[in-house]
Amino acid sequence: MQSERFSRKNEAQPRADTAQSRVDTATEERYAQENDALREKNHALAAALTRAGKELQKAKSQLGQLAGPPLTFATMVRVDSCRTDEEGVQHASAEVISGNRRIIVPVASDVPASRLAGGRTVLLNENMVLVEQRGLEISGKVRTVKQTLDDGRLMVADESGNVRLISCAGALANIQIDPSSRVLVDDAARVALEVLPGENANDLVLEQKPDATFADIGGLDEQIERIKDAVELPFLHRDLFKRYDLRPPKGVLLYGPPGNGKTLIAKAVANALSAGKSSDGVFLSVKGPELLNKYVGESERLIRLIFKRARARAAEGKPVIVFIDEMDSLLRTRGSGVSSDVETTIVPQFLSELDGVESLDNVMVIGASNRVDMIDPAVLRPGRLDVKIRVDRPNRDQARQIVLHYLTDDLPYQEGEDAGSLAIALVDDVYSTGEERHICDVCDEQGRFSRVMMADVICGAMLKNIVDKAKTKAVKDSLTQHHQVALGVDSVHDAVAAEFEETRDSVLDADPEQWSKINGIAGGHAVQIRPVE
């Protein structure tokens, strides 16, 4: 009996061991899973801590940058002293110009003193220690070299003719600088930094002998008559003017929307003044924006050169027209804040030169502008540009006259048609009030919308473009069809449609206020341009 119990006991023991083993294995697996989960959490926490550390470091860097003291710009003159101690640490000082102060400052040990070059821009920290070197200054005052001394120093003159002795930056030490050269100097005008290229009035002024005549201008009979009275009479009939004690005007302003013949009128004037003379008239043309220069005093110098050339040509007995296009960009109202107030010096220089024209019989200044309201009033007062002629958009009859200048009788026309009939068809299409010529709608400051038609923005240049488009189409058709294709009404309508599309697209891309001011739409105060739906 006991043996049987012992036997059963021995048989149950393996089963118990197996069950315990399964329990132990499950426990180990559970512990392993928990360990894996904990490791994943640790990894995630470590990654989060790393990211947080980086963000904290970034925030500290940004805070340090925001809290950092400002740096001061200065101009390097020369290294004053430099030595290296037993530990290899540099001890150096440099002479710099900061504002109007010429001072000696220490050089940071991590800035190689041997690489500091005269004329370069350097940075000083709050303790006036030189901590960084940068490149040469790219803008500033300009001076004209009068003389180069044997030791390399320069005698230079400012725009008023005042002479000063200055030194040269290291980069200019071994360069031969000729008199009359222009150099860029530091703000204190103590050091020459760079020799500037030889820009002069020749680079900006187009001198020509215009062949345009008043007969080439269509639709501007009233304006031509007025400018003849202002210019031709006093130039060509001096004795009569003196007899009646009349003084010719010094200048004329042609103003109005762009593309209506202001430049062509000025050229015709220069041509007309040559009538009956042995020498041709001289037309000096310059665009106002081209005279604006980033260097202080340069614009004034260029204005002086232009008038100097005009006087030289006039002294040869040549009638001279000085034509300044886009005059509003050059001679803006002083104190307007536009163009960084450079007009405070340019306007007086121009007025000084214009007043000097009084003693010359052969010089006439003609200005052109799309924005007469922007020109300084002193330029327009009596005794200066006191003759003001508006060159406006053409009406129907004037447009037909302009078109007939380009649709000449010698062109090939379709049977039963001629230049006159095509001109009428073209003008009727352009001045149509139908939706096919509806450019856009504009909104003024009061929120009122008004329609803008093609006729509202038409100009002489656009009329010429239309005729040129019709002619070009005829040339291309002649090449593809292998016979001469004549101009007809369909050609004109296709050309008008093409010009309309180009004009519409350009208007929709324009700035509403600027476009309306230049073109005289919505009183010059449009706030929105709306396409036609």
Side-chain angles (χ1 to χ4, degrees):
M1 193 67 139
Q2 288 180 354
S3 61
E4 289 178 0
R5 286 198 300 269
F6 181 77
S7 177
R8 286 195 296 272
K9 181 178 179 181
N10 288 340
E11 291 175 358
Q13 184 64 38
R15 290 196 295 272
D17 292 343
T18 302
Q20 182 64 40
S21 176
R22 286 197 295 271
V23 170
D24 292 343
T25 301
T27 301
E28 290 176 358
E29 290 178 352
R30 187 176 70 252
Y31 286 159
Q33 291 174 355
E34 290 176 354
N35 287 336
D36 290 343
L38 288 174
R39 277 196 297 270
E40 290 178 2
K41 289 181 179 179
N42 286 338
H43 287 319
L45 180 60
L49 289 174
T50 301
R51 289 195 299 271
K54 291 181 178 179
E55 291 296 326
L56 181 60
Q57 186 62 39
K58 180 179 178 182
K60 286 182 178 179
S61 299
Q62 292 174 340
L63 182 61
Q65 182 181 15
L66 294 175
L71 299 176
T72 302
F73 285 98
T75 301
M76 179 69 189
V77 177
R78 63 182 179 86
V79 175
D80 183 65
S81 65
C82 182
R83 67 178 181 85
T84 303
D85 62 19
E86 294 80 2
E87 281 73 29
V89 178
Q90 170 188 277
H91 298 271
S93 60
E95 179 183 340
V96 302
I97 296 175
S98 178
N100 291 319
R101 300 171 59 199
R102 186 175 180 180
I103 54 178
I104 302 292
V105 298
V107 179
S109 59
D110 60 344
V111 177
S114 60
R115 296 183 181 179
L116 295 175
R120 301 280 290 275
T121 297
V122 294
L123 295 180
L124 310 178
N125 66 11
E126 73 278 15
N127 296 318
M128 300 301 286
V129 176
L130 195 158
V131 295
E132 183 181 344
Q133 176 175 247
R134 295 190 175 182
L136 287 170
E137 187 60 70
I138 60 173
S139 64
K141 300 176 182 177
V142 174
R143 297 292 182 262
T144 302
V145 177
K146 292 296 183 182
Q147 183 179 350
T148 302
L149 303 185
D150 293 339
D151 60 4
R153 290 179 298 166
L154 303 176
M155 293 183 65
V156 298
D158 61 17
E159 59 269 17
S160 301
N162 299 318
V163 178
R164 185 170 187 171
L165 189 61
I166 66 174
S167 60
C168 288
L172 303 183
N174 299 318
I175 297 178
Q176 178 63 37
I177 303 177
D178 299 325
S180 76
S181 298
R182 297 174 305 139
V183 292
L184 173 66
V185 300
D186 67 294
D187 290 338
R190 293 173 177 267
V191 180
L193 306 176
E194 179 185 2
V195 178
L196 299 175
E199 181 186 52
N200 54 46
N202 292 327
D203 302 321
L204 299 173
V205 179
L206 174 63
E207 179 174 332
Q208 56 182 290
K209 300 173 182 178
D211 55 4
T213 68
F214 290 122
D216 298 323
I217 304 173
L220 296 175
D221 295 342
E222 180 182 347
Q223 290 83 354
I224 290 173
E225 187 65 27
R226 287 193 59 194
I227 203 165
K228 282 183 175 181
D229 291 345
V231 181
E232 270 196 332
L233 286 178
F235 267 78
L236 302 180
H237 304 283
R238 303 182 194 277
D239 294 339
L240 282 174
F241 256 65
K242 290 181 180 179
R243 178 68 182 84
Y244 287 93
D245 195 23
L246 286 173
R247 177 171 295 179
K250 296 181 208 173
V252 175
L253 177 67
L254 303 172
Y255 69 98
N260 285 297
K262 295 186 288 291
T263 302
L264 192 59
I265 288 176
K267 289 182 177 181
V269 169
N271 182 287
L273 296 183
S274 304
K277 292 181 175 290
S278 58
S279 59
D280 294 321
V282 177
F283 184 73
L284 301 181
S285 175
V286 61
K287 288 186 178 294
E290 295 177 354
L291 284 177
L292 295 175
N293 196 292
K294 65 181 179 181
Y295 298 115
V296 177
E298 271 298 273
S299 298
E300 295 89 327
R301 186 185 72 88
L302 293 172
I303 289 174
R304 289 196 299 271
L305 286 177
I306 290 169
F307 278 91
K308 181 179 179 181
R309 181 190 291 189
R311 291 187 180 94
R313 296 293 185 270
E316 299 170 1
K318 301 174 181 288
V320 179
I321 295 296
V322 178
F323 178 64
I324 303 177
D325 201 3
E326 300 181 56
M327 182 175 273
D328 50 278
S329 65
L330 178 69
L331 303 174
R332 291 183 183 273
T333 301
R334 284 167 285 187
S336 63
V338 184
S339 302
S340 303
D341 282 338
V342 294
E343 63 273 356
T344 57
T345 56
I346 294 178
V347 171
Q349 183 64 54
F350 175 81
L351 295 178
S352 174
E353 297 296 333
L354 184 61
D355 291 341
V357 171
E358 189 172 39
S359 61
L360 295 174
D361 294 330
N362 288 340
V363 176
M364 171 69 67
V365 177
I366 298 180
S369 173
N370 303 326
R371 294 288 309 279
V372 66
D373 58 301
M374 297 294 293
I375 299 177
D376 192 287
V379 177
L380 304 178
R381 73 167 176 78
R384 288 170 176 160
L385 298 188
D386 48 0
V387 178
K388 305 170 190 64
I389 301 175
R390 180 173 179 83
V391 183
D392 216 335
R393 300 190 184 281
N395 57 31
R396 279 176 172 268
D397 184 59
Q398 292 169 331
R400 187 181 60 81
Q401 294 179 44
I402 293 172
V403 170
L404 285 174
H405 273 277
Y406 306 110
L407 287 177
T408 54
D409 292 334
D410 58 342
L411 294 172
Y413 295 102
Q414 292 182 4
E415 186 176 353
E417 297 176 355
D418 56 17
S421 62
L422 289 193
I424 292 173
L426 188 155
V427 171
D428 287 345
D429 196 349
V430 168
Y431 285 81
S432 169
T433 58
E435 282 301 308
E436 71 278 3
R437 296 295 172 255
H438 184 183
I439 295 281
C440 63
D441 295 322
V442 297
C443 180
D444 61 18
E445 292 176 313
Q446 284 72 42
R448 297 171 301 195
F449 276 93
S450 58
R451 298 203 321 166
V452 176
M453 307 300 296
M454 189 174 187
D456 296 323
V457 296
I458 197 66
C459 63
M462 288 174 61
L463 292 170
K464 182 180 184 300
N465 286 343
I466 293 171
V467 176
D468 286 346
K469 282 181 169 64
K471 292 178 179 179
T472 302
K473 181 65 165 52
V475 169
K476 293 172 68 175
D477 289 346
S478 297
L479 293 173
T480 57
Q481 298 178 27
H482 305 291
H483 65 84
Q484 180 175 282
V485 174
L487 294 171
V489 173
D490 290 341
S491 306
V492 166
H493 290 320
D494 290 344
V496 173
E499 185 70 19
F500 168 81
E501 291 180 4
E502 291 180 10
T503 304
R504 180 194 57 198
D505 293 343
S506 65
V507 170
L508 294 178
D509 290 336
D511 175 80
E513 184 177 4
Q514 293 299 321
W515 176 80
S516 64
K517 286 180 178 179
I518 292 174
N519 290 277
I521 304 295
H525 298 289
V527 297
Q528 181 185 351
I529 298 176
R530 183 177 66 187
V532 178
E533 296 180 356

